Structures are given as structure tokens and as C-alpha cells.
Amino acid sequence: MNHPQKKKQNKMRLTLPLEEYMHSGHLACQGCGATLAMRYVLKALGQRTALCIPACCWSVIDGPFPYSSLDVPIFHCAFETAAISAAGLKAGLEMVGDHETQVVAWAGDGGTFDIGIQALSGVAERNDDIIYVCYDNEAYMNTGIQRSSATPFGAWTTTTPVKHYKNRPKKDIDAILAAHRIPYVATANISYPEDLYRKVLKAKNIKGTRFIHIYAPCPSGWKTRPEDTIKLGKLAVQTCIFPLFEVEEGSTWKINIKPREKKPVEEYLMRQGRFRHLTAEAIALIQEEVDRRWARLLKYEETSPL
Amino acid sequence: MKKQQPTKKIIFHSEKEMPLAPYSLGSMLHNRTGAWRNIRPEINLENCIQCGICWKFCPDVAIYIENEYPVVDYTYCKGCGLCAEECPVKCITMVEEEK
């Protein structure tokens, strides 16, 4: 590679560590948000990590049998058991005297919001010492874009076609987990990697069940251009559709990024093929709901102690 | 981060060569995903401000850092165009791949 010789050799200003625990050659689609989420989380957690992955996009992205694209051990478990397998793995490691290894349950939104919520709720109630990461691409993308309870209002999926688009709002999983009074609940976004990195580092140093909800755009499922992945993530935060906040002990709510001026949701919706059929009334409904949720979140922060 | 070298594909000639438990034996680096690409990113290093944003946002880990400058690894780049879109000085252009 011919570098410009005239220029002074400045040092690169990197905001994340250089170590990679994820290799190239994985099987993700172009512009996948989930791979970025994994990359940042592993950068924060380091080598001493074990993953439990149920059926989700990542069980495919990782590669078929004799291969793996990650540098950390992975346990592929059944769909509904991500949280409980991780808790069992942690208990086993404690028995052999390993208290350092972080066990991470890594599930998609189907494995968290719908199928895995029973096991997750049990683990959260017992406060088992695991990190639960949900990367949220808002449908069952791995099996072919079926509706899940993380799918937002108005979205097209193969099971909610344009004529009968989803008419129920997205499940508020963060509030459900916060209601379990676990030590740490946070939402993160792949478009804000420094924020994500900081949250995972913070979670690493806490004992007990920690839940991190990562927003991961999916170009093939959302019918967007692959190069828009980061832009969509940023828009989701700037329109307050996916606010970034953290909850400690179920009571202390803190919003991390408050947009100076809220963008209209239309800007976010119209970039995606799955929302293209929406009428002006439906968009107004979505805007109303987003405003209501944002006002509620601000109130949570206001009334939380400290 | 250094450039990643492709590895060999693992081939089992008989059942006896297979491990008893299904654990991974190698990395996915044998899978040259560069073949998926239609458009190819090209970095104009003259204008590069070394911010590392392209490296940070590459979903395929296909941008590595050499002599404090980003370099695209065309063996693995899938051509999603994220780096070109996010570059603050627009020094990355997507070029049509010629066959």
C-alpha cells in the first residue's frame, strides 16, 4: 500500500481497543448490525468470556460445525434456554473454581421477547451472575422475517403483510427487566459504539444479572440499503424511537443521550421498506406513541433517587 | 490489528477423524467473503484524517490498520458501503467491481 509520504505520520485516534475477538469470513449479510454488536461487546469483555447462543442469526453467522468466527468458546443451546444455560454454565465454572470468566447469554429479539422470556425472568429473579445481551433486529430475521413481539407498530413482515400490518406496539422489555430489580439494565446502539463499550465495561464489573438491549439494524429484513445501517441507528436515537438509558437496581433511571431537538419519526420510517406503506395518520399515531414514551422516560429519570 | 491470513478448509476423510464432541477446530477465515462483493471501497489516503471511523464501523472486520492508516482487506470485504457512507471527509469511494 502506498502511503502519502508528504504527510506527517500522526497516530490514529481510535476510540475502541484494537484487539479483535471476531474474525472475518463470517456468514452475516452485508451491513449487518448484529455482527457489529458482537464485535464491540467482545472488545469490552475480552478473552475470558463464554457465550451461550440460542437459535438466532448469530448461530448461523458464527459458521457451520468445525469452524467458528469467534475467539471465545460458544455453547449453542435450545431456543428458549439462553439465560438458563448461561446460568448453568456459570454455576459449573464456579464449581471448578473459575470466578473470573464472564458468561454471556447472547440472544436475538425472538429468543428474548417471546420464546426466552420465561427463562430470562427466572434467571433475573434468582439474580444469577450472567450478562444477558439481546440484539434487537425487530423480527425473526434468521427464519425469514416473521413478526415477533419486538416488531414495532406498522411494520411489514412476512407474517404481517402490508394489508394487515402489525397493529400492536413493541413490547417494553427494558421496563419488564427493570421491574425484576436486577442490578443493571441498559439499552445500547451499534451507532454509538463508545457508549455501548462503556456500558458493557460497566456491566462487567457488576455482580448479578445484567441485561443489555442492543439495537441492531438488519438491512435484509428492514428492506434498507446496507450502507444505511449506522445512519438508521443514529436516527432511532435522535427521533427517540430507541432512547439510550440505563437502569440500576430497577429504580435509578438515567438517560444517556438526550437529542437537542427531536427529529420527526417520518425521517426514520421512510428510509425503510418495511414502513413504506404507512399513511400519514399511521405515522401521526407512531409519533404520538413515541412522544408519550419519551415523556414517560423523562419522568422516570426525574423521579428516580439521586 | 494486523491483516488476517486465510486458513485452510478442514476436510474429514472418515468418521474417525471427526472429534467426539462437536467443538470448533478452526476459524472461518477460509471463507473468502470478498466474492460476495459488487462494489469495492477505495480509500484515498491523501485526504484521510485517520479518524478510524471506517475501521470502527466495518461489520466484516475487513479494514485493518497499517502504518497508522486504514487498509481494506479485499479478501473479506463484502462491499456493504458502510465505510464510504460514514467517512467524515468522504475519502472512500465505492467503485464498480469489474469481472
mmCIF file of all heavy atoms in Angstrom, chain A residues 7 9-13 18 20 24-28 30-31 39-40 66-68 194 227 230-231, chain B residues 4 9-10 25-28 31 36 46 48 50-51 55-61 67-68 78 82 85:
data_model
loop_
_atom_site.group_PDB
_atom_site.id
_atom_site.type_symbol
_atom_site.label_atom_id
_atom_site.label_comp_id
_atom_site.label_asym_id
_atom_site.label_seq_id
_atom_site.Cartn_x
_atom_site.Cartn_y
_atom_site.Cartn_z
ATOM 1 N N LYS A 7 2.798 13.646 4.046
ATOM 2 C CA LYS A 7 2.061 13.898 5.285
ATOM 3 C C LYS A 7 2.842 13.435 6.501
ATOM 4 O O LYS A 7 3.577 12.459 6.448
ATOM 5 C CB LYS A 7 0.730 13.137 5.229
ATOM 6 C CG LYS A 7 -0.460 14.064 5.093
ATOM 7 C CD LYS A 7 -1.681 13.203 4.965
ATOM 8 C CE LYS A 7 -2.930 13.860 5.409
ATOM 9 N NZ LYS A 7 -4.072 12.999 5.190
ATOM 10 N N GLN A 9 3.317 11.520 9.898
ATOM 11 C CA GLN A 9 2.707 10.280 10.372
ATOM 12 C C GLN A 9 2.078 10.511 11.735
ATOM 13 O O GLN A 9 2.718 10.356 12.773
ATOM 14 C CB GLN A 9 3.762 9.189 10.444
ATOM 15 C CG GLN A 9 4.166 8.659 9.093
ATOM 16 C CD GLN A 9 3.369 7.429 8.724
ATOM 17 O OE1 GLN A 9 3.022 6.627 9.564
ATOM 18 N NE2 GLN A 9 3.068 7.269 7.463
ATOM 19 N N ASN A 10 0.815 10.910 11.736
ATOM 20 C CA ASN A 10 0.125 11.074 13.000
ATOM 21 C C ASN A 10 -0.315 9.719 13.506
ATOM 22 O O ASN A 10 -0.477 8.788 12.724
ATOM 23 C CB ASN A 10 -1.100 11.959 12.824
ATOM 24 C CG ASN A 10 -0.717 13.367 12.481
ATOM 25 O OD1 ASN A 10 0.275 13.868 12.977
ATOM 26 N ND2 ASN A 10 -1.481 13.985 11.615
ATOM 27 N N LYS A 11 -0.542 9.638 14.794
ATOM 28 C CA LYS A 11 -1.090 8.403 15.342
ATOM 29 C C LYS A 11 -2.603 8.400 15.147
ATOM 30 O O LYS A 11 -3.236 9.439 15.214
ATOM 31 C CB LYS A 11 -0.762 8.307 16.836
ATOM 32 C CG LYS A 11 0.178 7.146 17.117
ATOM 33 C CD LYS A 11 0.341 6.875 18.563
ATOM 34 C CE LYS A 11 0.133 5.432 18.944
ATOM 35 N NZ LYS A 11 0.701 4.429 18.073
ATOM 36 N N MET A 12 -3.132 7.244 14.851
ATOM 37 C CA MET A 12 -4.579 7.179 14.655
ATOM 38 C C MET A 12 -5.293 7.356 15.976
ATOM 39 O O MET A 12 -4.878 6.819 16.987
ATOM 40 C CB MET A 12 -4.947 5.835 14.042
ATOM 41 C CG MET A 12 -5.128 5.922 12.563
ATOM 42 S SD MET A 12 -5.673 4.386 11.900
ATOM 43 C CE MET A 12 -7.236 4.864 11.238
ATOM 44 N N ARG A 13 -6.377 8.105 15.944
ATOM 45 C CA ARG A 13 -7.135 8.324 17.185
ATOM 46 C C ARG A 13 -8.272 7.313 17.232
ATOM 47 O O ARG A 13 -9.328 7.539 16.657
ATOM 48 C CB ARG A 13 -7.694 9.739 17.204
ATOM 49 C CG ARG A 13 -6.639 10.813 17.275
ATOM 50 C CD ARG A 13 -7.276 12.172 17.333
ATOM 51 N NE ARG A 13 -8.040 12.460 16.120
ATOM 52 C CZ ARG A 13 -7.520 13.026 15.041
ATOM 53 N NH1 ARG A 13 -6.234 13.332 15.006
ATOM 54 N NH2 ARG A 13 -8.257 13.275 13.979
ATOM 55 N N LEU A 18 -7.835 -2.111 20.071
ATOM 56 C CA LEU A 18 -7.519 -2.723 18.774
ATOM 57 C C LEU A 18 -7.790 -4.217 18.734
ATOM 58 O O LEU A 18 -7.923 -4.780 17.659
ATOM 59 C CB LEU A 18 -6.032 -2.494 18.476
ATOM 60 C CG LEU A 18 -5.694 -1.316 17.568
ATOM 61 C CD1 LEU A 18 -4.197 -1.193 17.447
ATOM 62 C CD2 LEU A 18 -6.293 -1.485 16.199
ATOM 63 N N GLU A 20 -9.191 -7.792 18.398
ATOM 64 C CA GLU A 20 -10.392 -8.329 17.759
ATOM 65 C C GLU A 20 -10.605 -9.753 18.252
ATOM 66 O O GLU A 20 -9.691 -10.554 18.243
ATOM 67 C CB GLU A 20 -10.234 -8.358 16.239
ATOM 68 C CG GLU A 20 -10.044 -7.016 15.594
ATOM 69 C CD GLU A 20 -11.308 -6.189 15.522
ATOM 70 O OE1 GLU A 20 -12.375 -6.715 15.880
ATOM 71 O OE2 GLU A 20 -11.207 -5.025 15.129
ATOM 72 N N SER A 24 -12.916 -12.168 10.302
ATOM 73 C CA SER A 24 -13.637 -12.027 9.038
ATOM 74 C C SER A 24 -14.086 -13.408 8.586
ATOM 75 O O SER A 24 -13.733 -14.416 9.187
ATOM 76 C CB SER A 24 -12.714 -11.429 7.990
ATOM 77 O OG SER A 24 -12.212 -10.215 8.438
ATOM 78 N N GLY A 25 -14.836 -13.442 7.498
ATOM 79 C CA GLY A 25 -15.247 -14.717 6.930
ATOM 80 C C GLY A 25 -16.531 -15.258 7.513
ATOM 81 O O GLY A 25 -16.980 -16.331 7.142
ATOM 82 N N HIS A 26 -17.168 -14.521 8.415
ATOM 83 C CA HIS A 26 -18.425 -14.990 8.973
ATOM 84 C C HIS A 26 -19.551 -14.849 7.935
ATOM 85 O O HIS A 26 -19.370 -14.250 6.883
ATOM 86 C CB HIS A 26 -18.756 -14.228 10.254
ATOM 87 C CG HIS A 26 -18.796 -12.748 10.067
ATOM 88 N ND1 HIS A 26 -19.766 -12.133 9.335
ATOM 89 C CD2 HIS A 26 -17.965 -11.774 10.495
ATOM 90 C CE1 HIS A 26 -19.550 -10.842 9.336
ATOM 91 N NE2 HIS A 26 -18.455 -10.580 10.020
ATOM 92 N N LEU A 27 -20.721 -15.395 8.264
ATOM 93 C CA LEU A 27 -21.767 -15.537 7.247
ATOM 94 C C LEU A 27 -22.878 -14.495 7.359
ATOM 95 O O LEU A 27 -23.994 -14.737 6.941
ATOM 96 C CB LEU A 27 -22.371 -16.946 7.336
ATOM 97 C CG LEU A 27 -21.369 -18.085 7.139
ATOM 98 C CD1 LEU A 27 -22.028 -19.411 7.413
ATOM 99 C CD2 LEU A 27 -20.797 -18.071 5.747
ATOM 100 N N ALA A 28 -22.583 -13.340 7.920
ATOM 101 C CA ALA A 28 -23.617 -12.314 8.052
ATOM 102 C C ALA A 28 -23.873 -11.633 6.713
ATOM 103 O O ALA A 28 -23.026 -11.635 5.826
ATOM 104 C CB ALA A 28 -23.187 -11.276 9.074
ATOM 105 N N GLN A 30 -24.538 -8.372 4.183
ATOM 106 C CA GLN A 30 -23.794 -7.120 4.062
ATOM 107 C C GLN A 30 -24.434 -6.050 4.937
ATOM 108 O O GLN A 30 -25.656 -5.906 4.946
ATOM 109 C CB GLN A 30 -23.801 -6.652 2.609
ATOM 110 C CG GLN A 30 -22.966 -7.536 1.728
ATOM 111 C CD GLN A 30 -23.539 -7.644 0.344
ATOM 112 O OE1 GLN A 30 -24.739 -7.718 0.165
ATOM 113 N NE2 GLN A 30 -22.666 -7.642 -0.645
ATOM 114 N N GLY A 31 -23.629 -5.334 5.683
ATOM 115 C CA GLY A 31 -24.139 -4.246 6.509
ATOM 116 C C GLY A 31 -24.897 -4.710 7.732
ATOM 117 O O GLY A 31 -25.776 -4.011 8.217
ATOM 118 N N ARG A 39 -18.960 -7.571 17.913
ATOM 119 C CA ARG A 39 -17.581 -7.089 17.872
ATOM 120 C C ARG A 39 -17.310 -6.147 19.051
ATOM 121 O O ARG A 39 -16.307 -6.291 19.750
ATOM 122 C CB ARG A 39 -17.377 -6.369 16.540
ATOM 123 C CG ARG A 39 -15.948 -6.084 16.233
ATOM 124 C CD ARG A 39 -15.803 -5.480 14.852
ATOM 125 N NE ARG A 39 -14.521 -4.813 14.764
ATOM 126 C CZ ARG A 39 -14.273 -3.801 13.949
ATOM 127 N NH1 ARG A 39 -15.214 -3.350 13.159
ATOM 128 N NH2 ARG A 39 -13.077 -3.242 13.937
ATOM 129 N N TYR A 40 -18.211 -5.208 19.291
ATOM 130 C CA TYR A 40 -17.988 -4.235 20.363
ATOM 131 C C TYR A 40 -18.086 -4.894 21.736
ATOM 132 O O TYR A 40 -17.298 -4.586 22.628
ATOM 133 C CB TYR A 40 -18.997 -3.086 20.275
ATOM 134 C CG TYR A 40 -18.984 -2.335 18.968
ATOM 135 C CD1 TYR A 40 -20.156 -1.856 18.401
ATOM 136 C CD2 TYR A 40 -17.790 -2.106 18.302
ATOM 137 C CE1 TYR A 40 -20.138 -1.171 17.203
ATOM 138 C CE2 TYR A 40 -17.767 -1.422 17.101
ATOM 139 C CZ TYR A 40 -18.950 -0.955 16.553
ATOM 140 O OH TYR A 40 -18.928 -0.297 15.379
ATOM 141 N N PRO A 66 -17.200 -27.518 11.997
ATOM 142 C CA PRO A 66 -15.861 -27.489 12.601
ATOM 143 C C PRO A 66 -15.274 -26.080 12.714
ATOM 144 O O PRO A 66 -14.163 -25.916 13.140
ATOM 145 C CB PRO A 66 -15.013 -28.361 11.683
ATOM 146 C CG PRO A 66 -15.781 -28.553 10.454
ATOM 147 C CD PRO A 66 -17.134 -27.982 10.610
ATOM 148 N N TYR A 67 -16.033 -25.058 12.321
ATOM 149 C CA TYR A 67 -15.481 -23.707 12.316
ATOM 150 C C TYR A 67 -16.194 -22.798 13.300
ATOM 151 O O TYR A 67 -17.323 -23.065 13.722
ATOM 152 C CB TYR A 67 -15.612 -23.078 10.919
ATOM 153 C CG TYR A 67 -15.106 -23.942 9.823
ATOM 154 C CD1 TYR A 67 -15.976 -24.574 8.947
ATOM 155 C CD2 TYR A 67 -13.744 -24.135 9.657
ATOM 156 C CE1 TYR A 67 -15.508 -25.369 7.932
ATOM 157 C CE2 TYR A 67 -13.270 -24.928 8.645
ATOM 158 C CZ TYR A 67 -14.151 -25.548 7.788
ATOM 159 O OH TYR A 67 -13.681 -26.334 6.791
ATOM 160 N N SER A 68 -15.532 -21.700 13.594
ATOM 161 C CA SER A 68 -16.146 -20.652 14.396
ATOM 162 C C SER A 68 -15.473 -19.340 14.013
ATOM 163 O O SER A 68 -14.285 -19.318 13.720
ATOM 164 C CB SER A 68 -15.944 -20.948 15.873
ATOM 165 O OG SER A 68 -16.242 -19.790 16.610
ATOM 166 N N GLU A 194 -18.978 3.824 21.433
ATOM 167 C CA GLU A 194 -18.287 4.215 22.670
ATOM 168 C C GLU A 194 -19.227 4.058 23.864
ATOM 169 O O GLU A 194 -18.825 3.578 24.926
ATOM 170 C CB GLU A 194 -17.788 5.651 22.587
ATOM 171 C CG GLU A 194 -16.648 5.858 21.602
ATOM 172 C CD GLU A 194 -17.122 6.006 20.171
ATOM 173 O OE1 GLU A 194 -18.330 6.295 19.973
ATOM 174 O OE2 GLU A 194 -16.322 5.811 19.254
ATOM 175 N N GLU A 227 -25.682 0.288 3.427
ATOM 176 C CA GLU A 227 -24.823 1.362 3.923
ATOM 177 C C GLU A 227 -25.545 2.291 4.893
ATOM 178 O O GLU A 227 -24.931 3.152 5.494
ATOM 179 C CB GLU A 227 -24.211 2.158 2.764
ATOM 180 C CG GLU A 227 -25.205 2.821 1.838
ATOM 181 C CD GLU A 227 -25.466 1.991 0.594
ATOM 182 O OE1 GLU A 227 -25.596 0.761 0.732
ATOM 183 O OE2 GLU A 227 -25.532 2.574 -0.502
ATOM 184 N N ILE A 230 -25.725 2.361 10.024
ATOM 185 C CA ILE A 230 -25.296 3.251 11.105
ATOM 186 C C ILE A 230 -26.217 4.464 11.170
ATOM 187 O O ILE A 230 -26.598 4.922 12.249
ATOM 188 C CB ILE A 230 -23.838 3.671 10.883
ATOM 189 C CG1 ILE A 230 -22.930 2.450 10.838
ATOM 190 C CG2 ILE A 230 -23.371 4.645 11.963
ATOM 191 C CD1 ILE A 230 -22.837 1.685 12.106
ATOM 192 N N LYS A 231 -26.600 4.957 9.988
ATOM 193 C CA LYS A 231 -27.471 6.130 9.939
ATOM 194 C C LYS A 231 -28.816 5.835 10.604
ATOM 195 O O LYS A 231 -29.349 6.662 11.346
ATOM 196 C CB LYS A 231 -27.677 6.510 8.461
ATOM 197 C CG LYS A 231 -28.017 7.962 8.269
ATOM 198 C CD LYS A 231 -27.943 8.351 6.820
ATOM 199 C CE LYS A 231 -26.530 8.727 6.421
ATOM 200 N NZ LYS A 231 -26.424 8.992 4.989
ATOM 201 N N GLN B 4 -5.455 -10.335 8.304
ATOM 202 C CA GLN B 4 -5.755 -11.733 8.626
ATOM 203 C C GLN B 4 -5.426 -12.611 7.425
ATOM 204 O O GLN B 4 -5.723 -12.251 6.294
ATOM 205 C CB GLN B 4 -7.233 -11.878 8.991
ATOM 206 C CG GLN B 4 -7.614 -11.033 10.168
ATOM 207 C CD GLN B 4 -9.111 -10.961 10.352
ATOM 208 O OE1 GLN B 4 -9.684 -11.647 11.153
ATOM 209 N NE2 GLN B 4 -9.747 -10.103 9.584
ATOM 210 N N LYS B 9 -9.278 -25.052 4.567
ATOM 211 C CA LYS B 9 -10.550 -25.679 4.893
ATOM 212 C C LYS B 9 -10.278 -27.027 5.565
ATOM 213 O O LYS B 9 -9.346 -27.730 5.199
ATOM 214 C CB LYS B 9 -11.338 -25.900 3.598
ATOM 215 C CG LYS B 9 -12.814 -25.782 3.803
ATOM 216 C CD LYS B 9 -13.563 -25.758 2.511
ATOM 217 C CE LYS B 9 -15.025 -25.877 2.854
ATOM 218 N NZ LYS B 9 -15.884 -25.810 1.714
ATOM 219 N N ILE B 10 -11.082 -27.339 6.569
ATOM 220 C CA ILE B 10 -10.893 -28.608 7.268
ATOM 221 C C ILE B 10 -11.762 -29.669 6.585
ATOM 222 O O ILE B 10 -12.964 -29.493 6.425
ATOM 223 C CB ILE B 10 -11.274 -28.489 8.757
ATOM 224 C CG1 ILE B 10 -10.406 -27.430 9.419
ATOM 225 C CG2 ILE B 10 -11.142 -29.812 9.460
ATOM 226 C CD1 ILE B 10 -10.897 -26.981 10.763
ATOM 227 N N LEU B 25 -12.881 -26.426 15.389
ATOM 228 C CA LEU B 25 -11.480 -26.790 15.162
ATOM 229 C C LEU B 25 -10.699 -25.684 14.464
ATOM 230 O O LEU B 25 -9.485 -25.717 14.416
ATOM 231 C CB LEU B 25 -11.406 -28.057 14.304
ATOM 232 C CG LEU B 25 -12.022 -29.317 14.900
ATOM 233 C CD1 LEU B 25 -12.064 -30.414 13.875
ATOM 234 C CD2 LEU B 25 -11.229 -29.770 16.100
ATOM 235 N N GLY B 26 -11.401 -24.735 13.898
ATOM 236 C CA GLY B 26 -10.679 -23.694 13.176
ATOM 237 C C GLY B 26 -11.569 -22.497 12.971
ATOM 238 O O GLY B 26 -12.749 -22.509 13.298
ATOM 239 N N SER B 27 -10.984 -21.439 12.421
ATOM 240 C CA SER B 27 -11.770 -20.220 12.239
ATOM 241 C C SER B 27 -12.391 -20.202 10.843
ATOM 242 O O SER B 27 -12.055 -20.999 9.982
ATOM 243 C CB SER B 27 -10.894 -18.998 12.444
ATOM 244 O OG SER B 27 -10.041 -18.852 11.348
ATOM 245 N N MET B 28 -13.287 -19.283 10.662
ATOM 246 C CA MET B 28 -13.994 -19.174 9.381
ATOM 247 C C MET B 28 -13.168 -18.432 8.331
ATOM 248 O O MET B 28 -13.691 -18.044 7.288
ATOM 249 C CB MET B 28 -15.309 -18.414 9.588
ATOM 250 C CG MET B 28 -16.420 -19.239 10.173
ATOM 251 S SD MET B 28 -16.968 -20.536 9.098
ATOM 252 C CE MET B 28 -17.928 -19.607 7.915
ATOM 253 N N ASN B 31 -13.237 -18.870 4.492
ATOM 254 C CA ASN B 31 -14.400 -18.420 3.719
ATOM 255 C C ASN B 31 -14.123 -17.026 3.172
ATOM 256 O O ASN B 31 -14.289 -16.036 3.856
ATOM 257 C CB ASN B 31 -15.619 -18.423 4.654
ATOM 258 C CG ASN B 31 -16.892 -18.103 3.923
ATOM 259 O OD1 ASN B 31 -16.970 -18.264 2.710
ATOM 260 N ND2 ASN B 31 -17.877 -17.634 4.649
ATOM 261 N N TRP B 36 -18.564 -12.014 -2.505
ATOM 262 C CA TRP B 36 -19.950 -11.542 -2.451
ATOM 263 C C TRP B 36 -20.083 -10.136 -3.015
ATOM 264 O O TRP B 36 -21.175 -9.631 -3.177
ATOM 265 C CB TRP B 36 -20.444 -11.469 -0.999
ATOM 266 C CG TRP B 36 -20.435 -12.729 -0.209
ATOM 267 C CD1 TRP B 36 -19.756 -13.861 -0.503
ATOM 268 C CD2 TRP B 36 -21.121 -12.976 1.007
ATOM 269 N NE1 TRP B 36 -19.971 -14.791 0.474
ATOM 270 C CE2 TRP B 36 -20.809 -14.273 1.401
ATOM 271 C CE3 TRP B 36 -21.969 -12.208 1.801
ATOM 272 C CZ2 TRP B 36 -21.319 -14.837 2.557
ATOM 273 C CZ3 TRP B 36 -22.473 -12.764 2.947
ATOM 274 C CH2 TRP B 36 -22.145 -14.076 3.323
ATOM 275 N N GLU B 46 -4.723 10.374 0.602
ATOM 276 C CA GLU B 46 -4.305 11.785 0.611
ATOM 277 C C GLU B 46 -5.200 12.609 1.530
ATOM 278 O O GLU B 46 -4.742 13.500 2.230
ATOM 279 C CB GLU B 46 -4.386 12.366 -0.809
ATOM 280 C CG GLU B 46 -3.390 11.772 -1.797
ATOM 281 C CD GLU B 46 -1.972 12.250 -1.552
ATOM 282 O OE1 GLU B 46 -1.809 13.325 -0.957
ATOM 283 O OE2 GLU B 46 -1.040 11.525 -1.957
ATOM 284 N N CYS B 48 -7.240 11.309 3.916
ATOM 285 C CA CYS B 48 -7.602 10.594 5.149
ATOM 286 C C CYS B 48 -7.169 11.389 6.376
ATOM 287 O O CYS B 48 -6.051 11.890 6.438
ATOM 288 C CB CYS B 48 -6.942 9.221 5.148
ATOM 289 S SG CYS B 48 -7.299 8.268 6.617
ATOM 290 N N GLN B 50 -7.384 10.003 9.443
ATOM 291 C CA GLN B 50 -7.018 8.968 10.429
ATOM 292 C C GLN B 50 -7.958 8.927 11.629
ATOM 293 O O GLN B 50 -7.519 8.779 12.761
ATOM 294 C CB GLN B 50 -5.584 9.203 10.929
ATOM 295 C CG GLN B 50 -4.545 9.105 9.840
ATOM 296 C CD GLN B 50 -3.194 9.526 10.355
ATOM 297 O OE1 GLN B 50 -3.017 10.671 10.744
ATOM 298 N NE2 GLN B 50 -2.255 8.620 10.339
ATOM 299 N N CYS B 51 -9.248 9.101 11.377
ATOM 300 C CA CYS B 51 -10.200 9.109 12.498
ATOM 301 C C CYS B 51 -10.550 7.688 12.927
ATOM 302 O O CYS B 51 -11.005 7.475 14.045
ATOM 303 C CB CYS B 51 -11.460 9.853 12.104
ATOM 304 S SG CYS B 51 -12.294 9.139 10.700
ATOM 305 N N TRP B 55 -12.739 1.850 10.218
ATOM 306 C CA TRP B 55 -12.299 0.642 10.924
ATOM 307 C C TRP B 55 -13.311 0.242 11.989
ATOM 308 O O TRP B 55 -13.628 -0.925 12.164
ATOM 309 C CB TRP B 55 -10.932 0.926 11.554
ATOM 310 C CG TRP B 55 -10.503 -0.085 12.561
ATOM 311 C CD1 TRP B 55 -9.920 -1.278 12.300
ATOM 312 C CD2 TRP B 55 -10.637 0.010 13.981
ATOM 313 N NE1 TRP B 55 -9.685 -1.944 13.474
ATOM 314 C CE2 TRP B 55 -10.106 -1.176 14.516
ATOM 315 C CE3 TRP B 55 -11.141 0.970 14.839
ATOM 316 C CZ2 TRP B 55 -10.068 -1.424 15.876
ATOM 317 C CZ3 TRP B 55 -11.123 0.732 16.203
ATOM 318 C CH2 TRP B 55 -10.582 -0.452 16.712
ATOM 319 N N LYS B 56 -13.837 1.270 12.659
ATOM 320 C CA LYS B 56 -14.749 1.029 13.774
ATOM 321 C C LYS B 56 -16.077 0.443 13.304
ATOM 322 O O LYS B 56 -16.656 -0.415 13.961
ATOM 323 C CB LYS B 56 -14.983 2.377 14.452
ATOM 324 C CG LYS B 56 -15.683 2.325 15.766
ATOM 325 C CD LYS B 56 -15.532 3.656 16.479
ATOM 326 C CE LYS B 56 -16.383 4.722 15.847
ATOM 327 N NZ LYS B 56 -16.237 6.023 16.512
ATOM 328 N N PHE B 57 -16.567 0.893 12.155
ATOM 329 C CA PHE B 57 -17.904 0.505 11.718
ATOM 330 C C PHE B 57 -17.907 -0.614 10.679
ATOM 331 O O PHE B 57 -18.925 -0.851 10.046
ATOM 332 C CB PHE B 57 -18.649 1.719 11.165
ATOM 333 C CG PHE B 57 -19.176 2.644 12.228
ATOM 334 C CD1 PHE B 57 -19.064 4.012 12.092
ATOM 335 C CD2 PHE B 57 -19.798 2.147 13.358
ATOM 336 C CE1 PHE B 57 -19.549 4.867 13.069
ATOM 337 C CE2 PHE B 57 -20.280 2.993 14.333
ATOM 338 C CZ PHE B 57 -20.157 4.357 14.191
ATOM 339 N N CYS B 58 -16.788 -1.311 10.478
ATOM 340 C CA CYS B 58 -16.791 -2.385 9.471
ATOM 341 C C CYS B 58 -17.386 -3.659 10.074
ATOM 342 O O CYS B 58 -16.818 -4.230 10.991
ATOM 343 C CB CYS B 58 -15.392 -2.667 8.965
ATOM 344 S SG CYS B 58 -15.398 -3.934 7.704
ATOM 345 N N PRO B 59 -18.541 -4.130 9.572
ATOM 346 C CA PRO B 59 -19.143 -5.334 10.156
ATOM 347 C C PRO B 59 -18.377 -6.609 9.832
ATOM 348 O O PRO B 59 -18.615 -7.637 10.448
ATOM 349 C CB PRO B 59 -20.544 -5.387 9.533
ATOM 350 C CG PRO B 59 -20.692 -4.175 8.716
ATOM 351 C CD PRO B 59 -19.339 -3.602 8.477
ATOM 352 N N ASP B 60 -17.480 -6.542 8.856
ATOM 353 C CA ASP B 60 -16.757 -7.749 8.453
ATOM 354 C C ASP B 60 -15.313 -7.760 8.942
ATOM 355 O O ASP B 60 -14.551 -8.633 8.543
ATOM 356 C CB ASP B 60 -16.786 -7.872 6.932
ATOM 357 C CG ASP B 60 -18.193 -7.978 6.425
ATOM 358 O OD1 ASP B 60 -18.914 -8.830 6.944
ATOM 359 O OD2 ASP B 60 -18.565 -7.200 5.547
ATOM 360 N N VAL B 61 -14.950 -6.812 9.771
ATOM 361 C CA VAL B 61 -13.576 -6.665 10.262
ATOM 362 C C VAL B 61 -12.596 -6.687 9.082
ATOM 363 O O VAL B 61 -11.507 -7.243 9.177
ATOM 364 C CB VAL B 61 -13.203 -7.756 11.295
ATOM 365 C CG1 VAL B 61 -12.146 -7.255 12.242
ATOM 366 C CG2 VAL B 61 -14.393 -8.199 12.098
ATOM 367 N N ASN B 67 0.609 1.083 9.389
ATOM 368 C CA ASN B 67 1.337 2.357 9.450
ATOM 369 C C ASN B 67 0.390 3.510 9.769
ATOM 370 O O ASN B 67 0.450 4.558 9.147
ATOM 371 C CB ASN B 67 2.073 2.646 8.144
ATOM 372 C CG ASN B 67 3.055 1.558 7.816
ATOM 373 O OD1 ASN B 67 3.566 0.894 8.713
ATOM 374 N ND2 ASN B 67 3.310 1.359 6.540
ATOM 375 N N GLU B 68 -0.505 3.281 10.706
ATOM 376 C CA GLU B 68 -1.438 4.316 11.170
ATOM 377 C C GLU B 68 -2.434 4.765 10.104
ATOM 378 O O GLU B 68 -2.979 5.862 10.167
ATOM 379 C CB GLU B 68 -0.684 5.530 11.734
ATOM 380 C CG GLU B 68 0.280 5.209 12.871
ATOM 381 C CD GLU B 68 -0.411 4.657 14.095
ATOM 382 O OE1 GLU B 68 -1.563 5.020 14.328
ATOM 383 O OE2 GLU B 68 0.201 3.840 14.798
ATOM 384 N N LYS B 78 -17.202 -7.375 2.038
ATOM 385 C CA LYS B 78 -18.421 -7.787 1.347
ATOM 386 C C LYS B 78 -19.025 -6.653 0.539
ATOM 387 O O LYS B 78 -20.052 -6.829 -0.109
ATOM 388 C CB LYS B 78 -19.446 -8.286 2.366
ATOM 389 C CG LYS B 78 -19.107 -9.640 2.953
ATOM 390 C CD LYS B 78 -20.077 -10.006 4.056
ATOM 391 C CE LYS B 78 -19.628 -11.264 4.776
ATOM 392 N NZ LYS B 78 -20.291 -11.418 6.067
ATOM 393 N N LEU B 82 -20.675 0.713 4.074
ATOM 394 C CA LEU B 82 -20.803 1.459 5.328
ATOM 395 C C LEU B 82 -19.657 2.443 5.515
ATOM 396 O O LEU B 82 -19.864 3.571 5.946
ATOM 397 C CB LEU B 82 -20.820 0.483 6.508
ATOM 398 C CG LEU B 82 -22.142 0.177 7.158
ATOM 399 C CD1 LEU B 82 -21.973 -0.802 8.292
ATOM 400 C CD2 LEU B 82 -22.770 1.440 7.687
ATOM 401 N N GLU B 85 -20.049 5.530 3.419
ATOM 402 C CA GLU B 85 -21.159 6.365 3.886
ATOM 403 C C GLU B 85 -20.784 7.126 5.153
ATOM 404 O O GLU B 85 -21.188 8.270 5.331
ATOM 405 C CB GLU B 85 -22.366 5.449 4.154
ATOM 406 C CG GLU B 85 -23.668 6.149 4.392
ATOM 407 C CD GLU B 85 -24.332 6.641 3.117
ATOM 408 O OE1 GLU B 85 -23.915 6.205 2.028
ATOM 409 O OE2 GLU B 85 -25.249 7.460 3.227
#
